[in-house]
Amino acid sequence: MGATGHLGSRLVPQLLARDHQVAVLVRDGTQATLFPTNVMVHVGDAKDPRAVRKALTGNDVVYFLVHSLDRPDFAEADREAAAVLATAAEKAEVRQIVYVGGPRPDSPAPSAHLASRAEVGDVLAAGRVPALVLQASMAIGNGSTSFELLRSSVRLTPWVAVPSWMNNTSWPVADTDVVHFLVAAADLAEPVDGVFDVRGPEQLSYLELVQRCARVLRLPVRLPVPAPVWSHKLAAWAAGLVTPVAAGVAESLFESLDHDLPSDGRPVTDVLPAPPGGMTSVDNAIRAATTPEADKTGGEVFTEERTVLTDASPEDVWRTVNALGGKDGWHTIPLVWTVRGAIDHLLGGIGLYRGRAPEVGEGDVVDFWTVVHRDDEAKRLVLRADMKMPGHTVLDMRVDREGGRTRYRQKITFTADGFLGQLYWVAQKPLHDVVFATMARGIVRKASTA
């Protein structure tokens, strides 16, 4: 149920790919054309007991992905649909119910949206059929209402209103990871009854999420503007004008930002396997949900390489390299990157975004760089600069041994974009050499004091 929604439309093809037989319940018969011919399509209302029971007959697992946020009585509608499902699942001898809801804030008065999500989970859990209730914060993916609201706002305005609730935090998760767990639930050896958290790898405030989205989209840092009277209704009205999300839906979502959304319950990995390679980073989730820009290529290539030997262990040097950016900085001349970032911002670039995930991998952002490659075994990290410049810059850092000492190698490769790019390289070369030489020495000095 909910097969035409954001998660459901991604779940169905994944189940089919694993040779599961799939049946769906849709309200409108014309929606049958959305599914392959090997999907059994039932037409009916999710609140109609007969239609629901007919759709469930012969099925082992039922997914409840219904969400009526686009109607004013969404809480009542979803509660009724959940009660119908719980009863029908028992009569149809379904062995497992799977539901995706939201986190439960530690608040005596949660928003209507979050309260409804929790209530639906409780209704399903109270039934006799085991219910696997998954609690997830914002699902980052193309078509997710919450993410569309975020992405559209970031793209359309160079500033961001910052009422107090923008500092509340959550654990956003890639929609591909949520779908992974939904698919895995179909293969459970035994039914599972309980509530589990589907948590992304990083806790971010909503303001940090706005800036992270802008950074991945290669947009300048959004200018924070204090907004003590920026109510949810006003924010929703503005969103309704400039985003594809209806004002009524946006208001319900904004109201949920009044709470920190914790993820301190039982992790879903207690009962379901984690995605291959682990949970998707926030940066890569945002990137996968947007159209990537093509990288600049071609032109004359300039390189500059330096090596520093140290008595610090390779592990300490590698740890320092992996912590570059964000609060740890770049161990170079103070304020030099701040000035460069300010210039880039004035030119319409990303500016000096000071932020990064605790652990970064390929595709993640580190301030004004993007991770191109990371190899922990070979101790190599490759970053691509994303500031505006007439060319393409790559920073390649490696750590290995030379004799009985540790060698840190740092290589800059600049691919010039025509004659202007060549002039740029020559003009900035003197300062460039000082900045990156200082950085190389600063990295090994930091590692030596670790």
Side-chain angles (χ1 to χ4, degrees):
M1 299 173 67
T4 59
H6 173 65
L7 292 177
S9 61
R10 287 154 177 77
L11 173 61
V12 169
Q14 292 295 320
L15 291 173
L16 293 173
R18 288 160 178 77
D19 296 324
H20 291 292
Q21 293 183 339
V22 178
V24 301
L25 177 66
V26 297
R27 284 179 295 181
D28 186 347
T30 62
Q31 294 176 315
T33 59
L34 299 175
F35 302 96
T37 55
N38 56 340
V39 173
M40 176 65 71
V41 179
H42 299 272
V43 180
D45 193 287
K47 296 183 292 181
D48 181 349
R50 293 181 62 183
V52 173
R53 183 174 178 182
K54 182 179 179 181
L56 297 186
T57 300
N59 292 287
D60 290 329
V61 179
V62 57
Y63 295 92
F64 188 80
L65 305 176
V66 173
H67 198 9
S68 309
L69 199 59
D70 57 345
R71 49 189 290 178
D73 62 341
F74 66 87
E76 179 182 350
D78 288 353
R79 177 175 60 251
E80 185 177 348
V84 167
L85 176 71
T87 301
E90 180 184 355
K91 293 180 178 179
E93 298 182 347
V94 170
R95 74 190 283 266
Q96 178 75 72
I97 295 174
V98 184
Y99 165 66
V100 177
R104 299 180 184 229
D106 184 15
S107 169
S111 71
H113 169 235
L114 293 176
S116 172
R117 299 285 78 202
E119 182 183 35
V120 168
D122 291 340
V123 170
L124 296 174
R128 296 199 177 191
V129 177
L132 175 58
V133 177
L134 305 181
Q135 299 183 150
S137 292
M138 177 192 293
I140 299 177
N142 188 28
S144 163
T145 303
S146 298
F147 181 70
E148 291 298 334
L149 187 60
L150 169 70
R151 176 172 59 179
S152 297
S153 300
V154 167
R155 279 178 165 168
L156 290 173
T157 60
W159 56 275
V160 54
V162 186
S164 60
W165 41 267
M166 284 293 285
N167 295 312
N168 292 330
T169 63
S170 66
W171 297 81
V173 59
D175 62 354
T176 52
D177 291 342
V178 178
V179 172
H180 162 84
F181 290 117
L182 292 175
V183 172
D187 297 321
L188 283 167
E190 297 293 336
V192 173
D193 196 21
V195 179
F196 300 87
D197 286 352
V198 181
R199 166 177 143 171
E202 195 172 356
Q203 184 179 22
L204 295 172
S205 71
Y206 298 105
L207 177 58
E208 289 173 324
L209 190 55
V210 165
Q211 301 293 24
R212 185 68 65 83
C213 185
R215 173 63 185 81
V216 172
L217 294 174
R218 298 193 184 184
L219 296 172
V221 174
R222 307 289 89 174
L223 178 65
V225 178
V229 295
W230 193 245
S231 68
H232 297 309
K233 189 172 291 293
L234 180 59
W237 174 80
L241 291 177
V242 300
T243 78
V245 180
V249 173
E251 184 174 358
S252 294
L253 294 174
F254 282 139
E255 287 174 353
S256 297
L257 303 187
D258 279 337
H259 316 282
D260 281 314
L261 299 183
S263 184
D264 50 10
R266 291 184 63 187
V268 66
T269 48
D270 280 359
V271 292
L272 296 173
M279 300 295 285
T280 306
S281 71
V282 171
D283 297 338
N284 279 333
I286 294 173
R287 183 170 290 104
T290 56
T291 303
E293 287 187 14
D295 289 333
K296 297 175 183 177
T297 56
E300 187 171 353
V301 177
F302 300 89
T303 61
E304 182 273 324
E305 187 169 359
R306 55 177 42 85
T307 300
V308 181
L309 295 175
T310 177
D311 292 325
S313 69
E315 291 72 24
D316 284 341
V317 177
W318 178 237
R319 192 176 300 113
T320 303
V321 169
N322 273 312
L324 285 171
K327 294 179 181 178
D328 281 5
W330 294 85
H331 310 297
T332 188
I333 301 172
L335 298 180
V336 66
W337 288 125
T338 302
V339 173
R340 177 64 177 87
I343 294 173
D344 190 70
H345 192 88
L346 290 173
L347 294 175
I350 62 170
L352 182 59
Y353 172 82
R354 295 192 61 80
R356 50 162 290 157
E359 289 291 331
V360 295
E362 294 181 9
D364 292 339
V365 298
V366 180
D367 292 344
F368 46 91
W369 304 83
T370 294
V371 179
V372 176
H373 177 71
R374 172 177 170 172
D375 188 334
D376 290 297
E377 185 175 347
K379 295 182 175 58
R380 182 186 182 196
L381 183 67
V382 183
L383 307 177
R384 180 194 68 227
D386 292 332
M387 285 185 172
K388 279 188 173 295
M389 62 184 74
H392 178 86
T393 298
V394 171
L395 170 60
D396 189 339
M397 296 170 282
R398 307 186 189 197
V399 181
D400 53 27
R401 285 194 174 276
E402 182 174 297
R405 307 187 75 191
T406 299
R407 177 174 59 183
Y408 168 69
R409 292 187 292 168
Q410 179 178 287
K411 181 179 180 181
I412 300 289
T413 302
F414 177 75
T415 304
D417 186 9
F419 181 66
L420 184 60
Q422 297 176 37
L423 288 179
Y424 172 82
W425 174 259
V426 173
Q428 57 85 49
K429 188 70 165 58
L431 179 60
H432 165 102
D433 288 346
V434 174
V435 169
F436 282 98
T438 304
M439 173 177 152
R441 292 192 298 269
I443 287 173
V444 299
R445 184 167 56 248
K446 174 68 174 180
S448 298
T449 60

